Amino acid sequence: MLLWHLCIKKMQKRTVDGIKNATAAQLDVSDTESLSNLVSQVDVVVSLLPASFHAAIARVCIELKKHLVTASYVDDSMSKLEQAAQGAGVTILCEMGLDPGIDHMLSMKMIDEAHALNGKIKAFTSFCGGLPSPAAANNPLAYKFSWSPAGAIRAGRNPAVYKFLGEIIDVDGSKLYESAKRLRLPELPAFALEHLPNRNSLMYGDLYGISKEASTVYRSTLRYEGFSEIMAILAKIGFFDAENHPLLQETDRPTYRIFLNDLLDVNNVSTSNTKVNGEETGGHDDELISRLMMLGHCKEKELAVKILKTIKFLGLHEETQIPKDCSSAFTVICQRMEQRMAYGHNEQDMVLLHHEVEVEYPDGRPTEKHQATLLEFGKTENGRPTTAMALTVGVPAAIGALLLLQNKVQRKGVIRPLEPEIYIPALEILEASGIKLIERVET
């Protein structure tokens, strides 16, 4: 027990090491008394915990009349606190991160500026993604995880809806990866990207006040080109199925190869591979390629070979036993992705956010395309690495706290950073902190 407490104290010290006026404390958020005691000692609370904890923290903040900042979406549990927060004179500033957060602030700045010049928003498109830097995108999926892959995989199964040229487009969750489209940004010609629709874009037309004027409202997630094609086929094979698999319920654990063979209905006694220049070839590889094409997962052999390389990179063909805590195909691939697709030492991540707003004017001026781009890479300062995602989520949340401490936010209740009183100073502080936003206008 003494050793456990010593370990906790070391972790707490490391958390605040080098940060002035900071004290670390261990807390069980479900312990309302301890939470209230901690909240009572501060003026503003910043919660970067999972979204499911925010409502409980917000209730304590409202009771004690303390402002709160989060980087998470406003969900139903937070929306229900609107009246209580207003009554207490408390600001619950949500969606103050990257996406949501910086995306809101840039959007509203561009839209409000266009409206101030009597412009009408014809189209609004937004692309955002957390990616490995090009040097770190060194696997078949050109992607890496800094957290559990489960959430990212589930996000790739969400349905989506958006408006394009006046038509409402619904995308079934099972077809999301197939809906990915190629993207090239002229100002970033070295990036081969693709985008997938991100859940409900229509609600942003309402939030931004452009639903009636914009014929296109589209928000998307960015990946490097080729990611979605591979993920779609892994889904077809069955790797994203979350139901318990019969093979994984047995005491005798199957190997990854046996499990893969079962998913593809491959003969387990197929001939073994030989190695050429260190690479396995023939036998089992040929049979897997054949099955991928025969089952209709891949129409061309070139794509089947790419899928095989991904399977081998993830070790899904190996003759080692699957751990006991894997009970479904989904948990198997999550475990493999977590092991094989983590960032290595000194590898950088990258954040890319790009907005395009088409503005038309009633006086005959030519339509303008307003663009804003944020490109940020992970950094290492004084030997301490900080990811681009941590910077672009954490800095806006800190700015939100600063604005509340300085009494620069007058609105009370549960709010987003959509008002000039928030986004104007926030974007200025963001740039002053080193996170650069590039804006341009084309006609």
Side-chain angles (χ1 to χ4, degrees), residues 70-92:
T70 84
S72 301
Y73 288 104
V74 175
D75 61 14
D76 288 341
S77 63
M78 293 294 277
S79 294
K80 289 174 181 176
L81 298 175
E82 164 72 12
Q83 192 172 349
Q86 283 190 353
V90 167
T91 300
I92 308 294

Side-chain angles (χ1 to χ4, degrees), residues 58 69 73 97 110 113 115 137 155 187 192 249 270 276 289 321 324 332 354 362 387 389 392 430:
V69 180
Y73 288 104
M110 298 167 79
E113 287 176 348
H115 284 166
E187 61 275 20
Q249 312 312 306
S270 61
V276 177
I289 290 171
Q321 285 187 329
K324 292 180 180 178
V332 168
H354 181 76
T387 64
M389 186 60 71
T392 53
L430 198 66

Side-chain angles (χ1 to χ4, degrees), residues 161-397:
V161 59
Y162 60 94
K163 182 161 65 168
F164 181 69
L165 298 178
E167 182 183 356
I168 303 300
I169 309 294
D170 285 289
V171 181
D172 188 89
S174 64
K175 301 293 183 183
L176 188 70
Y177 287 125
E178 284 93 330
S179 73
K181 293 181 175 61
R182 182 177 179 269
L183 177 68
R184 294 293 182 273
L185 300 176
E187 61 275 20
L188 296 171
F191 289 109
L193 301 165
E194 64 185 29
H195 59 93
L196 304 93
N198 186 359
R199 302 199 187 191
N200 183 358
S201 294
L202 302 183
M203 66 174 284
Y204 290 86
D206 296 334
L207 280 177
Y208 299 160
I210 58 173
S211 290
K212 294 181 180 178
E213 60 191 279
S215 61
T216 294
V217 180
Y218 176 72
R219 294 177 78 253
S220 68
T221 301
L222 288 176
R223 292 290 182 261
Y224 287 117
E225 191 172 10
F227 172 86
S228 298
E229 183 178 53
I230 293 173
M231 292 291 277
I233 293 171
L234 291 176
K236 287 178 182 177
I237 292 171
F239 274 114
F240 298 160
D241 292 347
E243 293 183 4
N244 287 344
H245 193 283
L247 271 182
L248 300 174
Q249 312 312 306
E250 300 175 6
T251 307
D252 234 357
R253 302 300 292 173
T255 65
Y256 290 100
R257 178 171 292 209
I258 288 173
F259 187 67
L260 173 65
N261 289 346
D262 182 81
L263 292 179
L264 289 174
D265 195 22
V266 171
N267 182 358
N268 287 334
V269 295
S270 61
T271 56
S272 60
N273 297 335
T274 57
K275 285 193 174 183
V276 177
N277 296 325
E279 289 286 325
E280 287 188 357
T281 182
H284 190 247
D285 284 6
D286 288 343
E287 192 164 357
L288 290 178
I289 290 171
S290 174
R291 290 301 297 169
L292 286 167
M293 297 182 70
M294 192 179 301
L295 292 170
H297 299 331
C298 302
K299 293 181 180 179
E300 299 173 358
K301 185 173 181 180
E302 184 181 358
L303 178 56
V305 170
K306 187 189 294 186
I307 301 304
L308 177 63
K309 286 181 178 178
T310 305
I311 286 170
K312 295 174 79 170
F313 168 77
L314 292 172
L316 295 167
H317 70 307
E318 293 177 356
E319 293 280 17
T320 52
Q321 285 187 329
I322 296 175
K324 292 180 180 178
D325 57 351
C326 292
S327 59
S328 66
F330 179 73
T331 52
V332 168
I333 200 162
C334 284
Q335 178 248 17
R336 274 326 214 187
M337 284 182 165
E338 193 166 352
Q339 291 175 343
R340 304 292 174 96
M341 295 176 66
Y343 282 91
H345 185 62
N346 289 333
E347 285 189 332
Q348 291 179 309
D349 73 325
M350 179 185 88
V351 162
L352 177 58
L353 169 65
H354 181 76
H355 283 344
E356 294 184 359
V357 177
E358 288 187 35
V359 185
E360 59 182 10
Y361 298 94
D363 57 7
R365 277 180 288 167
T367 298
E368 296 177 342
K369 180 186 283 187
H370 294 240
Q371 300 178 67
T373 305
L374 181 155
L375 177 61
E376 188 72 25
F377 292 92
K379 299 174 181 176
T380 300
E381 294 181 3
N382 302 319
R384 292 174 69 120
T386 305
T387 64
M389 186 60 71
L391 282 169
T392 53
V393 173
V395 172

Side-chain angles (χ1 to χ4, degrees), residues 23-214:
T23 303
Q26 184 183 359
L27 174 71
D28 179 351
V29 179
S30 64
D31 182 347
T32 305
E33 185 177 346
S34 297
L35 177 62
S36 298
N37 181 53
L38 202 59
V39 169
S40 68
Q41 301 173 45
V42 303
D43 295 310
V44 176
V45 175
V46 178
S47 176
L48 297 177
L49 293 174
S52 57
F53 292 100
H54 292 327
I57 296 168
R59 282 191 286 270
V60 171
C61 288
I62 291 168
E63 182 182 347
L64 298 175
K65 294 183 169 25
K66 307 292 185 179
H67 301 308
L68 171 65
V69 180
T70 84
S72 301
Y73 288 104
V74 175
D75 61 14
D76 288 341
S77 63
M78 293 294 277
S79 294
K80 289 174 181 176
L81 298 175
E82 164 72 12
Q83 192 172 349
Q86 283 190 353
V90 167
T91 300
I92 308 294
L93 176 54
C94 303
E95 303 189 11
M96 194 67 183
L98 167 67
D99 177 0
I102 298 175
D103 62 338
H104 284 328
M105 295 187 280
L106 271 179
S107 299
M108 290 311 302
K109 178 178 182 290
M110 298 167 79
I111 290 167
D112 285 349
E113 287 176 348
H115 284 166
L117 296 172
N118 293 320
K120 175 184 174 184
I121 307 303
K122 185 178 179 181
F124 171 85
T125 55
S126 173
F127 309 93
C128 187
L131 298 161
S133 66
N138 51 8
N139 63 54
L141 283 155
Y143 191 74
K144 288 190 175 173
F145 298 97
S146 55
W147 65 92
S148 169
I153 294 174
R154 290 192 186 102
R157 311 290 282 169
N158 287 324
V161 59
Y162 60 94
K163 182 161 65 168
F164 181 69
L165 298 178
E167 182 183 356
I168 303 300
I169 309 294
D170 285 289
V171 181
D172 188 89
S174 64
K175 301 293 183 183
L176 188 70
Y177 287 125
E178 284 93 330
S179 73
K181 293 181 175 61
R182 182 177 179 269
L183 177 68
R184 294 293 182 273
L185 300 176
E187 61 275 20
L188 296 171
F191 289 109
L193 301 165
E194 64 185 29
H195 59 93
L196 304 93
N198 186 359
R199 302 199 187 191
N200 183 358
S201 294
L202 302 183
M203 66 174 284
Y204 290 86
D206 296 334
L207 280 177
Y208 299 160
I210 58 173
S211 290
K212 294 181 180 178
E213 60 191 279

